[in-house]
Amino acid sequence: MPQKGIISYTLSANRQNPLAGTAHAAIFNTWRRFSAQVLYVAPPLIFFYYAMSWATDRNHYLNSKAGRQEFAGE
């Protein structure tokens, strides 16, 4: 026999909002993850960017007329 006095409410799966709160959670979760990892990623990225920039400028100088004249004897 069914029990009396127990009431349960359910919502059908096709009536639920599957994207409820995703925009809010995405913004704060993305910020939390970004702030936790930025100190691991940014310093090497900055260092290697400046190293590559220096190497490119140095290569352009060494292959220019002035650079070839300066290091012609070596």
Side-chain angles (χ1 to χ4, degrees):
M1 294 185 66
Q3 294 182 354
K4 294 183 179 183
I6 297 176
I7 301 171
S8 63
Y9 297 99
T10 59
L11 189 60
S12 171
N14 60 353
R15 289 292 195 176
Q16 293 179 9
N17 186 2
L19 299 177
T22 54
H24 182 266
I27 292 170
F28 289 107
N29 191 36
T30 302
W31 175 253
R32 180 187 57 83
R33 293 175 67 185
F34 171 77
S35 63
Q37 295 295 319
V38 71
L39 292 178
Y40 293 106
V41 176
L45 185 70
I46 292 169
F47 172 76
F48 285 114
Y49 175 78
Y50 282 116
M52 190 66 186
S53 175
W54 172 83
T56 303
D57 291 342
R58 180 77 173 155
N59 185 40
H60 287 302
Y61 173 71
L62 291 176
N63 288 316
S64 69
K65 185 184 276 188
R68 288 178 187 229
Q69 273 185 334
E70 183 179 346
F71 294 102
E74 294 181 11

